[in-house]
């Protein structure tokens, strides 16, 4: 809308609102719009309608439209009044049209006055809401109208901020509100007949109120039933179920889902097509952390002289390093093994699972035999696999991913790591420390783009100090072999550079595993990020099919997969009694570079982008006694708090063992403890954990009560005099 028009509309609405408020006050409308007053004025109102029916109807209609359009309170009393004055059918007609028209005016006001500003401010955050409204807006609105959990005026204004068409809004509103309006108007006709308190207990009035009470529940159940019917319509439901739950995938998400199901004595089958433990154990967290341990020692050996040692350079035996990596996997394997889960009561089946209908899973075992299992619920926990970008020549030249890099037995002389995210940084640093000539290529202007710029800068400096040739702002455009030498061509601006390499490791992200096991046939919708679309209870389009972990997003961590698994398993098994919304309010994560980067809650950039007011408190770890003694005095603790309060909005820690240090802040945020509580907690001296307390101390110093301190100073001066 053009600014001049917008100003004019604002002015018009402002004047109308001011006028309405003045009239509201002058006639004490708040007092008039009470049940008691309505009962008292019933005779006058009815008489007015008797003597001048059209004028009374007209005035009532106008008042109702104005009240609805300006979002004034009193719609309920006005609706009851319509029943009392005009009777059921005329009252229903008047209120139905007046409320819908008023709602439309409020909707249009919000759209033309507020939507641009709201979009400008929250554009990115609104995208999923807009997408939902585009897809299911009519149903949402119908539900909101039928089930009055949200106030009438709020629905009008909020819907005005969405992309829904005005005609559709009006039509759905009128239809959706019709039954509710009829119930209220009918109650008004009964109310008009009340002459003494005893009348209140008349069966008809009681019936009206009971209707009012149970109507939202009936409507909600009806909408859910209709939705479920539509989704399940083309499938034949089995007469009996073999299992309460079938879980597909035995990574973090699947293992925890199955564990919980067996703990509560449900009959559960866990199907794994490849290795128990999934990516974390076999290709992800565990091998990468084992490699990082060896790489860290390589680095420490280089620094040994500074700790008083000589002749300790050491030689990397890469094959031995990788043997240890596999030994670590083998040592942890029993935690996730078939034997352990079988003992826990889980029916573990090794094979490829395919969902053939919403209640049936077909399992193909390695020997080709198949088994069909009917189940009341399914949890999809199929994880993600490395994404390989379509770079011309890459497939021909050959590349490794996080799935295949653990098969290396020789240290690559020249390694290219594609990707500057957490996995790329962890692996590039490790290989460089172990002696590979490592080049890391990142398209974005900095590494670890999810973190604040200062974090990226620190990690980039650390990578470079470890010998990584870091090329940010460089896009890989093709791979080729020239005279037997593999080369990656990268472009920055108009300049192309060739990087010769022996091994290329592709670490540019992970794609959810959504293909080849029946989702296409079920028509399960995916999000724009290609994860399975789920609701707040982790239910997919089919309410008995749940999704957790990397395949569901929005996070790709082992601990978030496990966190979601609890909700999915409990909702699947007990959802008919009570369902729980998955809680993403406090999600921590860490990247295990050196220094480590750990975060919970908002970063500074996110808070700014979301328009959340914040204060920053920073403590430099270079000041910390234990870090100085350890020779690891670098990094910082950065805490974002609500301005003027100690409530924590987010924490970023960069430093040695940052991932462990973060736990105290995670606990504080989860349980609503502020910085004062952290400051008031004894921290053992000398530990790295003291950094958390010192950060809280920095905050306290900045918020010291200056006036009180001046008085204290005077008091002490007086004591000395
Ligand atoms: C190099 C690397 C380092 C990482 N480091 C960390 C870290 O430090 N901390 C952290 O929190 N996260 C880390 N991650 C991420 C972590 O590994 C994943 O977030 C986690 O494994 C997700 O668990 P999941 O249960 O969703 O899936 P997965 O662990 O991927 O498990 C899915 C399983 O489903 C099976 N499956 C798939 N389809 C079928 C089918 N149709 N039938 C039967 N089985 C099927 C697969 O074989 C697989 O075993 C790292 C990842 C990588 C690659």
């Amino acid at each position: 809308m053009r600014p001049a028009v917008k100003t004019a509309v604002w002015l018009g609405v402002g004047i109308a609102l001011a006028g309405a408020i003045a009239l509201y006050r002058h006639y004490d409308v708040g007092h008039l719009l009470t049940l008691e007053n309505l009962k008292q004025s019933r005779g006058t109102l009815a008489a007015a309608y008797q003597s001048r029916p059209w004028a009374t109807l007209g005035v009532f209609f106008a008042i109702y439209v104005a009240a609805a359009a300006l979002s004034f309170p009193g719609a309920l009393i006005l609706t009851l009044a319509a029943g009392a004055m005009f009777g059921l059918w005329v009252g229903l007609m008047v209120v139905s049209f007046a409320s819908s028209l008023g709602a439309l005016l409020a909707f249009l006001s919000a759209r033309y006055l507020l939507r641009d500003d709201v979009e400008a401010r929250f554009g990115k955050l609104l995208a999923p809401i807009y997408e939902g409204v585009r897809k299911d807006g009519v149903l949402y609105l119908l539900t909101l109208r039928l089930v009055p959990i949200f106030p009438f005026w709020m629905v009008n204004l909020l819907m005005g901020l969405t992309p829904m068409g005005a005609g559709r809004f009006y039509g759905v509103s009128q239809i959706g509100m019709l039954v509710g309006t009829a119930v209220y108007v009918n109650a008004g006709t009964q109310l008009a007949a009340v002459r003494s308190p005893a009348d209140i207990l008349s069966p008809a009035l009681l019936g009206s109120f009971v209707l009012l009470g149970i109507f939202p529940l009936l409507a909600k159940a009806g909408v859910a039933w209709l939705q479920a019917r539509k989704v399940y319509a083309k499938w034949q439901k089995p007469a009996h179920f073999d299992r309460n739950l079938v879980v597909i995938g035995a990574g973090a998400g699947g293992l925890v889902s199955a564990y919980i199901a067996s703990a509560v004595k449900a009959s559960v089958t866990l199907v794994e097509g490849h290795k128990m433990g999934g990516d974390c154990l076999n290709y992800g967290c565990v091998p990468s952390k084992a490699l990082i341990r060896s790489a860290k020692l390589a680095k420490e050996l280089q620094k040994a002289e500074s700790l008083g040692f000589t002749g300790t350079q050491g030689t990397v035996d890469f094959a031995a390093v990788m043997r240890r990596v596999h030994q670590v996997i083998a040592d942890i394997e029993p935690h996730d093994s078939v034997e352990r889960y079988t003992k826990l009561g889980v029916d573990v089946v090794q094979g490829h699972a395919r969902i053939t209908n919403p209640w049936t899973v077909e399992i193909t075992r390695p020997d080709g035999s198949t088994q069909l299992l009917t189940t009341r619920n399914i949890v999809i926990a199929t994880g993600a696999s490395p994404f390989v970008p379509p770079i011309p020549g890459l497939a021909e030249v050959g590349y490794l991913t996080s799935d295949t890099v653990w098969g290396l037995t020789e240290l690559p002389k020249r390694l290219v790591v594609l990707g500057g995210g957490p996995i790329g940084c962890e692996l590039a640093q490790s290989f460089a420390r172990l002696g590979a000539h490592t080049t890391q290529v990142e398209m974005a202007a900095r590494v670890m783009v999810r973190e604040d710029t200062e974090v990226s800068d620190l990690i980039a400096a650390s990578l470079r100090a470890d010998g990584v040739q870091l090329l940010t702002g460089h896009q890989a455009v093709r791979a080729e072999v020239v005279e037997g030498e593999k080369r990656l061509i990268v472009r920055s601006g108009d300049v192309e550079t060739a990087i010769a390499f022996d091994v290329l490791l592709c670490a540019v992200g992970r794609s959810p595993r959504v293909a080849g096991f029946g989702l296409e046939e079920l028509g399960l919708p995916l999000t724009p990020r290609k994860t399975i679309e789920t609701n707040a209870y982790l239910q997919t389009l089919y309410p008995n099919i749940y999704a957790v972990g990397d395949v569901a997003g929005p996070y790709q961590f082992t601990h978030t997969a496990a966190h979601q698994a609890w909700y999915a398993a409990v909702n699947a098994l007990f959802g008919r009694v009570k369902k729980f919304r998955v809680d993403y309010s406090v999600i921590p994560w860490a990247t295990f570079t050196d220094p480590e980067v750990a975060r919970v809650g908002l970063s500074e950039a996110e808070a700014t982008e979301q328009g959340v007011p914040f204060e920053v408190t920073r403590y430099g770890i270079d000041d910390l006694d234990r870090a100085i003694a350890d020779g690891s005095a670098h990094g910082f603790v950065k805490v974002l708090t609500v301005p003027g309060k100690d409530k924590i909005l987010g924490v970023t820690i960069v430093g040695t063992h940052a991932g462990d240090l973060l736990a105290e802040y995670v606990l504080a945020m989860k349980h609503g403890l502020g910085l004062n509580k952290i400051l008031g907690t004894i921290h053992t001296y000398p530990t790295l954990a003291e950094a958390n307390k010192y950060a809280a101390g920095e905050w306290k110093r900045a918020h010291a009560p200056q006036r009180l301190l001046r008085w204290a100073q005077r008091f002490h001066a007086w004591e000395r005099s």
Side-chain angles (χ1 to χ4, degrees):
M1 193 191 272
R2 286 208 316 272
V5 182
K6 198 166 173 176
T7 313
V9 178
W10 264 119
L11 211 65
V13 171
I15 291 169
L17 209 61
I21 291 171
L23 287 172
Y24 193 91
R25 290 225 169 130
H26 184 74
Y27 292 106
D28 194 7
V29 178
H31 170 71
L32 291 176
L33 289 178
T34 61
L35 198 58
E36 207 42 50
N37 196 56
L38 176 61
K39 276 192 227 158
Q40 279 169 16
S41 334
R42 184 180 55 82
T44 324
L45 293 170
Y49 179 51
Q50 289 289 326
S51 59
R52 301 180 69 191
W54 288 109
T56 311
L57 275 173
V59 169
F60 182 87
F61 188 84
I63 290 174
Y64 203 118
V65 171
L70 295 170
S71 303
F72 267 38
L76 172 68
I77 297 295
L78 282 174
T79 310
L80 292 172
M85 287 163 70
F86 312 127
L88 178 60
W89 296 110
V90 175
L92 178 60
M93 286 279 282
V94 175
V95 173
S96 172
F97 281 98
S99 58
S100 305
L101 188 60
L104 180 65
L105 292 175
F107 168 94
L108 291 174
S109 312
R111 166 147 309 170
Y112 291 115
L113 295 178
L114 302 174
R115 192 167 157 199
D116 290 353
D117 297 332
V118 172
E119 263 182 6
R121 190 152 179 186
F122 303 107
K124 218 169 145 190
L125 296 173
L126 293 173
I129 300 176
Y130 280 12
E131 188 52 36
V133 170
R134 253 181 223 112
K135 225 167 77 210
D136 285 321
V138 168
L139 196 68
Y140 288 165
L141 179 58
L142 194 64
T143 310
L144 289 173
R145 291 306 193 198
L146 284 172
V147 187
I149 346 167
F150 297 107
F152 169 71
W153 61 270
M154 195 187 277
V155 176
N156 302 336
L157 297 183
L158 287 180
M159 278 290 165
L161 303 178
T162 72
M164 177 174 280
R168 183 169 288 195
F169 173 82
Y170 179 89
V172 177
S173 293
Q174 183 143 25
I175 295 168
M177 292 189 296
L178 203 60
V179 189
T181 305
V183 173
Y184 284 104
V185 174
N186 185 46
T189 65
Q190 302 303 313
L191 201 71
V194 173
R195 283 192 196 89
S196 73
D199 286 346
I200 293 176
L201 293 178
S202 75
L205 193 62
L206 260 184
S208 293
F209 284 121
V210 169
L211 247 180
L212 278 179
I214 65 167
F215 179 71
L217 297 175
L218 288 178
K220 192 177 172 191
V223 169
W225 182 76
L226 273 176
Q227 246 179 334
R229 237 178 89 94
K230 190 176 134 206
V231 168
Y232 289 113
K234 66 172 178 168
W235 305 102
Q236 179 73 37
K237 191 173 181 177
H240 143 270
F241 298 106
D242 302 320
R243 299 285 182 269
N244 299 99
L245 186 65
V246 169
V247 180
I248 304 177
L255 287 167
V256 176
S257 301
Y259 179 97
I260 287 165
S262 72
V264 296
K265 306 296 173 203
S267 167
V268 53
T269 291
L270 174 65
V271 193
E272 172 53 56
H274 191 41
K275 291 186 179 176
M276 292 292 287
D279 283 8
C280 182
L281 173 62
N282 300 291
Y283 312 108
C285 335
V286 172
S288 62
K289 268 76 245 178
L291 185 76
I292 285 169
R293 179 66 189 95
S294 294
K296 188 173 180 182
L297 185 63
K299 178 76 179 182
E300 284 183 343
L301 287 175
Q302 287 170 16
K303 293 196 301 188
E305 217 166 289
S306 68
L307 296 175
F309 289 79
T310 52
T312 49
Q313 279 301 302
T315 312
V316 175
D317 177 350
F318 187 73
V321 168
M322 292 308 256
R323 275 199 302 277
R324 177 178 176 274
V325 166
H326 290 287
Q327 188 54 51
V328 170
I329 295 175
D331 290 347
I332 296 179
E333 238 163 25
H335 301 172
D336 299 347
S337 65
V338 174
E339 294 71 27
R340 175 169 180 235
Y341 276 79
T342 306
K343 266 194 202 141
L344 286 168
V346 178
D347 167 41
V348 184
V349 182
Q350 303 248 240
H352 181 266
R354 180 180 180 79
I355 306 175
T356 56
N357 80 33
W359 305 276
T360 311
V361 177
E362 182 190 70
I363 306 165
T364 308
R365 294 171 192 272
D367 63 6
S369 63
T370 57
Q371 178 184 6
L372 269 190
L373 278 179
T374 56
T375 175
R376 203 168 248 295
N377 301 289
I378 297 170
V379 170
I380 301 172
T382 50
S385 45
F387 171 69
V388 179
I391 297 170
L394 189 60
E396 293 72 24
V397 169
Y399 58 87
L400 297 180
T401 65
S402 57
D403 279 1
T404 47
V405 69
W406 312 112
L408 281 177
T409 48
E410 259 180 57
L411 183 69
K413 276 200 179 63
R414 296 167 303 175
L415 172 73
V416 167
V417 176
L418 212 54
I423 296 175
C425 289
E426 285 182 5
L427 294 179
Q429 187 175 47
S430 299
F431 275 99
R433 285 181 163 190
L434 290 169
H437 182 275
T438 306
T439 306
Q440 191 179 4
V441 180
E442 167 56 54
M443 200 163 73
R446 58 191 180 93
V447 291
M448 292 179 50
V449 285
R450 281 191 71 177
E451 307 299 340
D452 283 337
T453 311
E454 62 183 321
V455 175
S456 302
D457 292 348
L458 241 160
I459 296 305
S462 171
L463 287 166
R464 289 192 171 112
D466 281 325
V468 176
Q469 193 198 350
L470 180 60
L471 300 177
T472 50
H474 281 71
Q475 186 180 8
V477 286
R478 63 182 184 280
E480 56 192 27
V481 181
V482 176
E483 292 170 5
E485 187 174 68
K486 296 177 182 178
R487 303 187 338 165
L488 180 74
I489 312 301
V490 295
R491 186 187 295 147
S492 175
D494 293 334
V495 182
E496 287 196 349
T497 313
I499 308 164
F501 66 86
D502 302 305
V503 171
L504 184 143
L505 172 58
C506 188
V508 293
R510 298 167 51 71
S511 312
R513 281 193 200 102
V514 290
F517 61 100
L519 303 194
E520 301 87 342
E521 292 77 359
L522 285 171
L524 279 196
L526 303 181
T527 66
R529 296 171 71 190
K530 303 283 178 244
T531 51
I532 297 176
E533 197 174 285
T534 54
N535 64 13
Y537 305 102
L538 296 171
Q539 289 170 303
T540 65
L541 176 68
Y542 297 84
N544 73 317
I545 303 182
Y546 295 73
V548 301
D550 285 5
V551 78
Y555 302 97
Q556 288 192 331
F557 303 115
T558 294
H559 48 278
T560 48
H563 177 70
Q564 290 177 322
W566 184 90
Y567 288 91
V570 170
N571 287 339
L573 297 169
F574 301 107
R576 282 187 233 207
V577 184
K578 169 89 182 134
K579 278 195 293 190
F580 297 88
R581 289 169 166 268
V582 62
D583 176 8
Y584 293 130
S585 56
V586 182
I587 301 286
W589 64 81
T591 301
F592 297 88
T593 43
D594 184 5
E596 291 180 6
V597 176
R599 172 131 79 89
V600 58
L602 294 175
S603 70
E604 217 175 320
E606 285 169 354
T608 308
E609 193 183 299
Q610 294 172 24
V612 177
F614 63 92
E615 268 178 28
V616 177
T617 303
R618 187 189 308 269
Y619 170 74
I621 293 178
D622 50 340
D623 182 59
L624 187 67
D625 292 4
R626 179 56 188 267
I628 295 169
D630 280 355
S632 59
H634 47 249
F636 57 82
V637 178
K638 179 162 81 168
V639 185
L640 268 63
T641 44
V642 172
K645 299 198 172 133
D646 73 336
K647 184 179 162 65
I648 304 167
L649 296 170
V651 180
T652 301
I653 305 181
V654 182
T656 305
H657 293 300
D660 294 305
L661 296 187
L662 189 74
E664 185 172 13
Y665 283 113
V666 179
L667 183 84
M669 283 186 76
K670 177 75 189 166
H671 297 286
L673 306 175
L675 289 180
N676 279 317
K677 288 277 190 286
I678 289 182
L679 189 60
T681 305
I682 300 175
H683 290 62
T684 314
Y685 181 84
T687 56
L688 295 178
E690 280 188 301
N692 294 343
K693 181 173 169 147
Y694 290 141
E698 292 294 329
W699 177 86
K700 191 73 180 176
R701 242 190 307 284
H703 292 84
Q706 294 304 335
R707 188 177 293 178
L708 202 68
L709 287 176
R710 276 196 296 274
W711 278 107
Q713 196 175 22
R714 278 181 208 147
F715 169 73
H716 294 310
W718 172 74
E719 285 242 293
R720 291 195 304 271
S721 65

